[in-house]
Amino acid sequence: MASSDDRSALARSLTSRYSEWIAEALDELPECFLITDPAIPGHPIVFASRGFLAMSGYAMDEVLGRNGRIFQGPATDRRSVMEIREAVREERTVQISLLNYRRDGTPHWILFHMCPVFEAAGSGRVAHFLAVQVPVPPRSRARSRSRSRSRWCGGATGMMLRACRNELLMDEGLGCSRAEESFVEMPSGGVEAEEPPVATDCEKEKAVNAANSIVSTLNRYSKITGRVVCGKRCCPVGVPLLSSSLIISLGRIKQNFVLTDPHLPDMPIVYASDAFLTLTGYSRDEVLGRNCRFLNGPGTSLEVLKEIKDSICAGQACSVRLLNYRKDASSFWNLLHISPIRDASGKIAFYVGVQLEEGLKCSYNGLSPEMWQLGAVGAVKVAVRGSSLSAGPSRPSS
Amino acid sequence: MLTIKRVPTVVSNYREDAPAEAAGCGRNCLGKCCLPVSKLPLYAFKEDPRSLISSSSSSPGEDEAPPADFFLHTLLLGQWEDRMSRGLFRYDVTACETKVIPGEHGFIAQLNEGRHLKKRPTEFRVDCVLQPFDPAKFNFTKVGQEEVLFRFEASGSHKSSFSERAPVDGTKAPNVLAINVSPIEYGHVLLIPRVLDCLPQRIDPESFLLAFHMAAEAASPYFRLGYNSLGAFATINHLHFQAYYLAVPFPVEKAPTQKIPLVEGESKSGVKVSKLLNYPVRGLVYEGGNTLKELSDVVANACICLQDNNIPFNVLISDAGRRIFLFPQCYAEKQALGEVSQELLDTQVNPAVWEISGHMVLKRKKDYEEASESYAWRLLAEVSLSEERFQEVKAYIFEATGLVEAEDKEVGKKESEEASCQSTPVGPPHFPEGCLVLH
């Protein structure tokens, strides 16, 4: 489970944008929905509605900080999962039938409707994703599926199962649907998955309306903090920020590193990993937009700084040893590796700086610290190349 | 004999005249001389991760297995980046321009002018999917150890582990992961099962499962493994799988599929088979299965059926080993018979597994700039079997893998009877015997 630090980061994700009252307001909404924050590593759930918890059987504590994939199971259609993943990458709305699993392991069909919630001003980036879930009861499939079911069961057993099923279907809405599903599900381990139910227009509309009403609640509360959000992408002004798909990819990389943008004046930091913040003691807001030189101080070698500069001018990687300072003024020897990072066009888009504190006893799972460091470089290269290749609307290549 | 002239891609820096320097034969290679005395890094993978995930019984008390992203993000990419900094690759693939071709399918095109070596084309026999290993030709035992990232072996426990220097156990032929020195994307590697056993390019259940384990260890939808049979653009007749990292969906992964209903009871393993729809190459999609091995075995048997029947094919292991695409193909045959248009031949694209999956590597700037969805579609359509032939091949595969297609009530009876009579051996492929075609 999440530590208390993580827990407060999850809470802050909502309160810093929608005020302290947001949780209470969201709790009053009857719909089943989740809110996730793509800027936090792992793209975790930061809010789950009462309706969702009731439907899924989870407690709030069990879902906060987790990724939405925990609700998927063996019979969840992989192509649907891919469609959702791509919608996140491309920062767009998606509506799709999905087989999710409750806490007790029983599967159930939902209409999954996910939409991005954008910052209305500033960078216009995705602040959160909202995922509304409308349960799709099995009744719409009963007719078309009875045949395949009897084929599967074969003979008398099939007839019996079908009869039971129909009886249970009539009871639907009386709280029997769970029993019905587990009864029919158990022997096959996935028959339900094979034929996605057709969501009715009414259910689709219900999902859209729910999303609109939640976004409007978020919009209302965001006005309290002045960090306004809305359901439509607004034109970014000023510095183009990284797309949320890139931020999600970078968030998975555990090493200490920063990305700097050589195309902006003074080559500012545009991304800093959590591990970097832990190492240096700064908060994200304190480092984004600044040149890395704030890490330097008395005794930092000018020669080494020149070497770094020359490598960057030549578009080449370099490894150096540099005296750096934390926010609390304590110093450390930084085994720094810097490498150019090219985007899909093949041009240098960023430089990555991966820091390694000399002499730090740390587990690299059997790898040498140098290899560990290079792993971050590779992972960043793949992330940048992939995200700049997507047809997504963020960050048009310059 | 059907052959075509091919310029094989250089996958290794191996040279006959390399200077001697180390122990063994002196070249520090992967042969019987050097590998058994080597101390390459070793990644030992856990037993069937799928059953572990479903039981989700992680035991935090025991000492640390590497985190889930260690294999891919740290080890593989770190080693690869290290080889890049040592200058072992023929070019920086991240400097190659790549784009998504506008259109419904999102084919991916890469301009790679460096991959195409100016070397005399060699003649490839394309009418024979199974050919014996030839020690005289290039094979991976000749590769230098610096091109190996690590060994990849079963740990024999429920946990993966890694050690940076591990002596090779003399009794077992090691599996190695080597770089492809002509990468088509970042992290392009070759998995070579039991390298010292000098297996020809031929699927066997054990090696196929090894590839599945690698996909599962990588645990990323963007790290895929691929296999090309001989006759389907494998260029080296030494058993290997390819893999690389590209963080976008492949068009084939986005293509809709239609589940092929199976007679229940036949599919106890829970493996689902679908056919690709709305895609230029006809293919089968395998999913599900209660364990990695169940899914792997079904697909491996399908591959074995194809190679035994001399039908060239490509396999894509996608979604961390959860979705497998199988494409029987006939491009080389058409090419050798002179049935492919000059316009397509001129682009010199060899439709192997990556191309078929929708990732095209183009060698000429002009082709890259003009690449359109209709071009990609036309090229791939040439690869595909005809609907009639595909149905035929599908029937062989189903029979070989013990799956029985459940038909619709009306048509069903007749066709299933037909299928059950289908016990006669598969006819020879459609090549005229002894025909030699050169370009």
Side-chain angles (χ1 to χ4, degrees), chain B residues 35-242:
Chain B
L35 186 53
V37 295
S38 71
K39 286 188 175 171
L40 292 169
L42 168 67
Y43 186 88
F45 61 85
K46 59 188 171 292
E47 279 169 350
D48 201 337
R50 189 168 302 174
S51 54
L52 282 179
I53 287 166
S54 56
S55 65
S56 71
S57 59
S58 58
S59 38
E62 294 177 51
D63 51 14
E64 18 153 358
D69 60 346
F70 172 81
F71 175 81
L72 183 62
H73 267 163
T74 313
L75 176 61
L76 195 148
L77 295 182
Q79 294 266 7
W80 211 87
E81 180 69 20
D82 171 67
R83 300 312 186 276
M84 202 161 151
S85 66
R86 289 204 237 158
L88 293 183
F89 294 98
R90 294 176 58 235
Y91 46 83
D92 175 0
V93 72
T94 69
C96 293
E97 202 175 331
T98 293
K99 67 180 176 188
V100 173
I101 300 174
E104 182 194 343
H105 299 275
F107 289 105
I108 306 151
Q110 179 191 114
L111 174 61
N112 193 325
E113 293 168 299
R115 193 162 197 262
H116 194 46
L117 190 76
K118 285 174 184 59
K119 190 179 144 184
R120 203 160 46 88
T122 46
E123 217 169 84
F124 267 81
R125 193 178 167 154
V126 296
D127 59 350
C128 210
V129 173
L130 295 179
Q131 298 176 36
F133 184 83
D134 180 355
K137 288 199 176 142
F138 171 80
N139 64 71
F140 298 111
T141 64
K142 302 184 179 186
V143 168
Q145 282 178 21
E146 70 282 0
E147 294 181 22
V148 173
L149 301 185
F150 49 87
R151 285 165 52 212
F152 187 69
E153 314 284 354
S155 71
S157 81
H158 65 285
K159 241 177 15 175
S160 301
S161 64
F162 175 73
S163 53
E164 197 146 57
R165 284 169 68 79
V168 170
D169 174 357
T171 57
K172 237 183 102 192
N175 313 309
V176 300
L177 194 70
I179 55 170
N180 184 333
V181 303
S182 304
I184 67 171
E185 252 312 324
Y186 197 89
H188 194 167
V189 288
L190 305 167
L191 171 65
I192 306 149
R194 292 150 57 198
V195 59
L196 290 176
D197 285 356
C198 294
L199 305 167
Q201 186 75 340
R202 166 183 203 152
I203 292 289
D204 66 89
E206 189 198 350
S207 303
F208 204 61
L209 182 58
L210 185 75
F212 269 66
H213 275 290
M214 176 156 289
E217 288 295 323
S220 163
Y222 303 124
F223 184 80
R224 307 156 178 98
L225 282 95
Y227 177 85
N228 302 315
S229 79
L230 298 180
F233 299 97
T235 54
I236 298 160
N237 187 18
H238 186 178
L239 182 58
H240 65 285
F241 296 84
Q242 303 187 41

Side-chain angles (χ1 to χ4, degrees), chain A residues 1-2 7 10 14 22-24 26-27 33-35 45-54 56-66 70-71 103:
Chain A
M1 271 307 97
R7 188 53 51 81
L10 297 175
L14 285 183
I22 187 64
E24 211 174 304
L26 293 176
D27 262 341
F33 64 96
L34 296 167
I35 298 175
I45 295 163
V46 295
F47 182 82
S49 75
R50 282 170 193 245
F52 175 85
L53 297 173
S56 66
Y58 282 92
M60 183 73 104
D61 259 10
E62 294 170 319
V63 298
L64 286 187
R66 309 287 295 276
I70 64 168
F71 308 112
R103 190 177 187 281

Side-chain angles (χ1 to χ4, degrees), chain A residues 78-79 89 152 344 385, chain B residues 98 185 247 254 264 319 322:
Chain A
R78 298 304 304 172
R79 193 171 165 276
R89 262 166 48 85
W152 158 63
R385 198 161 159 82
Chain B
T98 293
E185 252 312 324
K254 295 192 280 189
E264 308 288 353
D319 201 2
R322 292 190 191 90

Side-chain angles (χ1 to χ4, degrees), chain A residues 113-134:
Chain A
H113 180 100
M114 188 198 72
C115 61
V117 181
F118 296 99
E119 280 184 347
S123 66
R125 75 176 178 91
V126 176
H128 290 105
F129 283 97
L130 167 67
V132 173
Q133 309 194 352
V134 175

Side-chain angles (χ1 to χ4, degrees), chain A residues 207-264:
Chain A
V208 172
N209 290 342
N212 287 342
S213 109
I214 298 159
V215 169
S216 92
T217 302
L218 295 176
N219 167 267
R220 220 164 40 244
Y221 281 81
S222 68
K223 286 175 181 158
I224 302 175
T225 67
R227 302 175 67 197
V228 182
V229 297
C230 57
K232 289 220 170 63
R233 177 185 301 277
C234 309
C235 274
V237 288
V239 180
L241 278 201
L242 308 186
S243 68
S244 61
S245 77
L246 180 55
I247 289 174
I248 291 171
S249 303
L250 294 174
R252 297 201 186 100
I253 305 169
K254 306 286 192 300
Q255 290 91 327
N256 309 310
F257 70 95
V258 293
L259 273 196
T260 61
D261 188 338
H263 306 295
L264 294 176

